[in-house]
Amino acid sequence: VQPEVLMLHAINAGAEPHEIVIFRAPDGKTFDEISADPETTLSTAEFIGVLYLGDPGEQGDLALVGLEPGKYIALCGVTSADGTPHYMKGMIAEFEIVGV
């Protein structure tokens, strides 16, 4: 369904900072295409919101209001100590809002 408000609750269960960044996926792009080159693809995507979870054990909520039907991407944009962004280590996912 198309929710009026979608609440995301997250807990940082890792050993370093994390964040959840939400984008609306560009029309015509598959998740595989986005995952292969997220920086280029998401540079033109619609930014929806971000929840930063700095310390291990920190938790928080992100309210997403009035999302239109479509595909969305959630990723962690924090960079690890080795210089690799977390989304390049698999911290990227797709979800879909569908109309009724």
Side-chain angles (χ1 to χ4, degrees):
V1 293
Q2 182 182 358
E4 186 173 315
V5 177
L6 175 63
M7 288 296 293
L8 295 180
H9 178 76
I11 301 170
N12 182 349
E16 54 190 11
H18 291 287
E19 67 184 359
I20 301 172
V21 185
I22 307 293
F23 295 92
R24 183 177 173 117
D27 291 336
K29 289 283 188 175
T30 67
F31 181 69
D32 288 340
E33 291 171 323
I34 294 168
S35 296
D37 188 10
E39 287 184 32
T40 300
T41 303
L42 296 177
S43 68
T44 60
E46 179 185 357
F47 170 78
I48 302 297
V50 62
L51 173 61
Y52 183 73
L53 302 165
D55 296 320
E58 187 173 328
Q59 54 185 301
D61 297 310
L62 178 62
L64 302 171
V65 180
L67 294 180
E68 295 293 323
K71 293 185 179 182
Y72 293 82
I73 302 297
L75 61 80
C76 182
V78 173
T79 301
S80 292
D82 68 4
T84 305
H86 288 174
Y87 61 80
M88 296 298 288
K89 295 182 174 194
M91 296 185 83
I92 183 170
E94 178 182 54
F95 65 96
E96 185 172 6
I97 302 294
V98 296
V100 290

